[in-house]
Amino acid sequence: MHSDTISAIATANGIGSIAIIRISGDDALEITKKLTHNKILEPRYATLSTIYDSQDTLIDEAIIIYFKAPHSFTAQHVVEIQCHGGFIVAQSILKATVAAGARLATPGEFSKRAFFNGRIDLSEAEAIAQLIEAKSEDAAKILAAQMKGSLKHFIEDVRDEIIHILAFSEVTIDYAEEDLPEDLVIQIKSKLDELYILLNKTLQASKSREGLMQGFRVAIVGKPNVGKSSLLNALLNFDRAIVSEIAGTTRDTIEEQVKIGTHLIRMVDTAGIREANDEIEKIGIQRSLEAIEQSDIVVALFDSSREADDEDKEIIKLLESAKESKKVIIIKNKKDLQQKFSHESLQFDLELNSKDDVSSLVASLEAIMDRNNSSDEIMLISSRQINAVEETMKNIQESFVPLEDQELEIFSFHLNEAVKEMASITRPFENDEMLDKMFGSFCLGK
């Protein structure tokens, strides 16, 4: 069956030393020959060639690499054209591929073809997509392992265990008039318990390390004028936030990315939390509270040069609540000034002057984020995968009652559902709508 040929720019937009145009499909080689006027292109050899448009006007001189089917990413004929980077050249070559018979690829279509042609499964496809946007070196290592099939093998092992139990149940249904030996029921339940514990361990580890994959969010909180903006500027090493003696200068959340250790994190400087009459300031304070809720780590600042007041006490209550679900670092700021702050229930993690040296905070943040790393463990990297494991666990749990009652048809039903949920992580039986939605979130050229 003849497949249409697609093309796209596979590198990021902008000016750079090179850009790559990727072509995939039955006519990829012939289209490239039209563009280069070359009669022969050896597979997997880099060929320097001139590129022409449909009017035989010279566009560029580029490196051509041909990957013969099925030995390519999509398992189709693939050609990559490495041209000079820039806005115009790559677009001109892309336009020439379309004039020669290709069509523009949709987002994720290359990976989708790789999936349908058996080159990758869904877990590997998602790893590829997330590797492009990895927020830490540790996340990149985990995703690289999954791209090579680590999660796939884990899923297959769990699925095979469930299928083994399911097959026994299906055969035993034929002998329903005979009760199952009690020790056999115990053995089956024991095996399902082991699977449930294994899946739960993987699920909880994945949820706790979500910041590792998506990028940690760190909220800087405190009442007005405690030095939050100065701290953000010190971490960024440039004056991003306005610093003023006037309380309430920061009236909205300010977000910036900064690299700490091997992690790219998002720092959020929040508006000072206090009772406010100004409507705009009220909105800013509400956004500060939302930023705390959405963060992985909360950095709370208290001004050591001022006595604790009601605003400080309210923030302390807020931190007590936050500690239940996230890491909180409590800092006594302005340590170079006369010390007046004290509160019986507050234990400080650090003392510093946010205008001068914040190295101790950087070290603390790095230590917290590194503790979330364990690249040897299997990790679920998307809400789709997490939901599938949760549904699998639910069906395993719901199978226990009919197993005890020896209602094997109902028991088998739940195990069948568990198998389908696990299979959906790697290669579902059928769900075109889900596949279109997932691959549609990929970038062009992938």
Side-chain angles (χ1 to χ4, degrees), residues 285-297:
I285 292 169
Q286 180 58 40
R287 289 184 180 178
S288 297
L289 298 174
E290 292 171 0
I292 295 171
E293 181 65 28
Q294 296 166 3
S295 67
D296 302 292
I297 304 170

Side-chain angles (χ1 to χ4, degrees), residues 163-182:
I163 288 174
H164 181 74
I165 298 170
L166 178 61
F168 177 83
S169 174
E170 295 286 354
V171 170
T172 310
I173 289 173
D174 295 334
Y175 305 95
E177 69 277 2
E178 300 179 17
D179 289 340
L180 292 177
E182 186 176 339

